[in-house]
Amino acid sequence: MPPSPLLLALDLTGTFAFGLNGALTAVRAVRLDLVGVLALGMMTALGGGIIRDVLIGSLPPATFSDLRYLGVAAGGALVAFFLSVELERFTKLITIFDAVGLGVFCVTGAHMTIEFGLGPVQAVLLGTVTAVGGGTLRDVAVRRVPSVLTSDFYAVPALVGAALTVLAMHLGIYGIASALVAAGVAVAIRLAGVRYRLRVPSTPRRRGEADPGRGEG
Amino acid sequence: MPPSPLLLALDLTGTFAFGLNGALTAVRAVRLDLVGVLALGMMTALGGGIIRDVLIGSLPPATFSDLRYLGVAAGGALVAFFLSVELERFTKLITIFDAVGLGVFCVTGAHMTIEFGLGPVQAVLLGTVTAVGGGTLRDVAVRRVPSVLTSDFYAVPALVGAALTVLAMHLGIYGIASALVAAGVAVAIRLAGVRYRLRVPSTPRRRGEADPGRGEG
Amino acid sequence: MPPSPLLLALDLTGTFAFGLNGALTAVRAVRLDLVGVLALGMMTALGGGIIRDVLIGSLPPATFSDLRYLGVAAGGALVAFFLSVELERFTKLITIFDAVGLGVFCVTGAHMTIEFGLGPVQAVLLGTVTAVGGGTLRDVAVRRVPSVLTSDFYAVPALVGAALTVLAMHLGIYGIASALVAAGVAVAIRLAGVRYRLRVPSTPRRRGEADPGRGEG
């Protein structure tokens, strides 16, 4: 089954954004050589989609049967490598690329899960896993606790974007417009979360520390 | 092929125990927010079964085709999140939940591997991988060296439980009773190992340090 | 489809070398007990091949359907465990075993990918993933940044070996001789890289630090 052009275009956009993000993370966090930067960029860009394809049983993953994914991921990583000095001036770019990858992949992950015949709950979950998977591999590789665990509002926007996608497919109104809206909402929530430091509830603190998220827990 | 009711009941029990354990680990080790606690709880609860299903080629994993797994894992994690203050008083609970998940999953992992037509050695190994897989993902995510590597008697009880399961199936006496015995033996060995600090042999120390496990190495 | 004898012999050689290497790493880095050493040795030995088989959709992985892999991996780990004191005198052995595993697995990984009907680019990439996969799991488990990211000339020899394999298959001259040449070239590049501290280009340093790889970036 060839993927729809919409799915492919979105997927490649997310792949490029995550390739850039992973490579910039590599340069900043560990200052790796060309091969290390390429490897971390491609792992970030392709990881989420690979996990999704393994879990829905679509093997070999699209990443390997379709060279465009490999090319776009490597391209994003190479751009980040060669322009790293310039890109470092724009400190927010790394966050924005991550948000774009997150927003796009939750939509394509949910879309593809439905296309493979799984149910709506599974699609929301796998859309989220697709979105956060690459970044999680990236964080583990450079020895950070994964964003999905520590960063408030990292999984939440992905869940919302995946849920909107599933809803639109269920209502029969899914298309370019609704896919872009779902991805856009996810990106907006993510960036708003970073900007305004939004938080989801935490467990009550033990020693009475102040905790903004306390009451709602 | 629908799983037998026994397999399902055991698997859900292990899923719930690991969901509780993973979420409590999250609260204790990193004090994550609700999403982070849910994510770590579900990763711990579902990780072992997912790895098993990927390796035997049963895709998509039961986790995704059967909503009960998702619900039970999330339920365990939510219970741990909302009761974390109360549960923290019972410091041994986290160890006990881990042991129960370990004991149950080594049985279901071995059982399912045999059902999929693989041999007894593979079943013992995959039973063990199922049992230790979720906890290993949990440990990597919170940046601990995995228990299966450092903790004496973490893999050993899983190996024993899986071996007993395979033996019972081979002898044609496998059923509720023998599954519970195999799981119980694994849990008992694990808890005895923690309680009495049992050790498997280590390599000889270099500078003549005392080492209880020395001679047998 | 039974693997060719050549593929099997090479694969088992790599499995043994990585089993030794992983177990020696365990003993040196964390001084684990017998179970931990076995687990890390087997993870290192079997990890790359498992990732490859999952990605090409050859499930269950050869590791589990063919007991020889399990036996050879465990054998390598046990040898390392029992001879660890003796082997520690030869500090270079750990590097050499790693290089041998790397060189052999990039050939078998590329070979198997082609046999499964994927294209040459995919074969080079998956050959490299097969070669570096086990070591990456090993490094993550003992909480090191993976060699593939930090070590200059870890992925490069694997890429070269995989590319030579694909080239030989394409030219119709692939056989024992060319497979050994491809593996040998990869091993030689890896060991030369370690010996002469060869480097691939890094991004320019920010504060004008000296950096041998600077100009070529």
Side-chain angles (χ1 to χ4, degrees), chain C residues 151-176:
Chain C
S151 173
D152 302 321
F153 277 82
Y154 192 78
V156 167
L159 279 165
V160 172
L164 288 176
T165 304
V166 170
L167 184 67
M169 293 183 90
H170 186 71
L171 296 175
I173 60 168
Y174 184 73
I176 296 183

Side-chain angles (χ1 to χ4, degrees), chain B residues 53-133:
Chain B
D53 288 353
V54 168
L55 292 182
I56 61 178
S58 167
L59 298 175
T63 310
F64 291 111
S65 46
D66 187 333
L67 288 181
R68 288 171 289 197
Y69 285 94
L70 291 175
V72 163
L78 285 174
V79 166
F81 182 76
F82 288 115
L83 299 184
S84 66
V85 172
E86 287 74 14
L87 290 175
E88 272 180 358
R89 285 184 215 143
F90 308 99
T91 50
K92 286 175 191 162
L93 271 183
I94 201 166
T95 304
I96 292 174
F97 289 134
D98 191 50
V100 169
L102 190 77
V104 168
F105 274 179
C106 67
V107 173
T108 61
H111 176 162
M112 200 149 171
T113 307
I114 294 280
E115 276 199 358
F116 259 73
L118 284 115
V121 175
Q122 288 92 339
V124 171
L125 193 80
L126 264 182
T128 306
V129 168
T130 308
V132 306

Side-chain angles (χ1 to χ4, degrees), chain A residues 54-55 57 59 118 121-122 125-126 140 143-146 148-150 152 155-156 200-206 217, chain B residues 27 30-36 39-40 42 50 54 59-61 64-67 70 81-82 84-85 88 140-141 143:
Chain A
V54 168
L55 291 183
L59 298 175
L118 283 114
V121 175
Q122 289 92 340
L125 193 80
L126 264 182
V140 168
R143 293 197 295 183
R144 296 199 299 213
V145 176
V148 67
L149 294 183
T150 57
D152 302 322
V156 167
V200 276
S202 295
T203 51
R205 299 278 147 165
R206 263 172 293 197
Chain B
V27 171
V30 203
R31 189 157 290 277
L32 305 163
D33 60 45
L34 174 56
V35 176
L40 197 66
M42 293 183 74
I50 289 176
V54 168
L59 298 175
F64 291 111
S65 46
D66 187 333
L67 288 181
L70 291 175
F81 182 76
F82 288 115
S84 66
V85 172
E88 272 180 358
V140 168
R143 294 196 296 181

Side-chain angles (χ1 to χ4, degrees), chain A residues 175-190:
Chain A
I176 296 183
S178 55
L180 290 178
V181 167
V185 168
V187 173
I189 296 178
R190 172 64 187 151

Side-chain angles (χ1 to χ4, degrees), chain A residues 9-172:
Chain A
L10 282 175
D11 234 13
L12 290 178
T13 305
T15 302
F16 188 72
F18 268 140
L20 277 166
N21 166 274
L24 284 177
T25 303
V27 171
R28 269 167 182 268
V30 204
R31 188 158 290 277
L32 306 161
D33 60 45
L34 175 57
V35 175
V37 170
L38 256 177
L40 197 65
M42 293 184 74
M43 196 187 292
T44 308
L46 305 173
I50 289 177
I51 294 173
R52 174 198 63 202
D53 288 353
V54 168
L55 291 183
I56 61 178
S58 168
L59 298 175
T63 310
F64 291 111
S65 47
D66 186 333
L67 287 182
R68 288 171 290 197
Y69 285 94
L70 292 175
V72 163
L78 285 175
V79 166
F81 182 77
F82 288 115
L83 299 183
S84 66
V85 172
E86 287 75 14
L87 290 175
E88 271 179 0
R89 286 184 214 142
F90 308 98
T91 50
K92 286 175 190 160
L93 272 182
I94 200 165
T95 305
I96 291 173
F97 289 135
D98 191 51
V100 170
L102 191 76
V104 168
F105 274 179
C106 67
V107 173
T108 60
H111 177 161
M112 201 151 172
T113 307
I114 294 280
E115 276 199 358
F116 260 73
L118 283 114
V121 175
Q122 289 92 340
V124 172
L125 193 80
L126 264 182
T128 306
V129 168
T130 309
V132 306
T136 300
L137 294 181
R138 174 199 66 204
D139 291 340
V140 168
V142 300
R143 293 197 295 183
R144 296 199 299 213
V145 176
S147 299
V148 67
L149 294 183
T150 57
S151 173
D152 302 322
F153 276 82
Y154 192 77
V156 167
L159 279 166
V160 171
L164 287 177
T165 304
V166 170
L167 184 68
M169 294 182 89
H170 187 69
L171 297 176

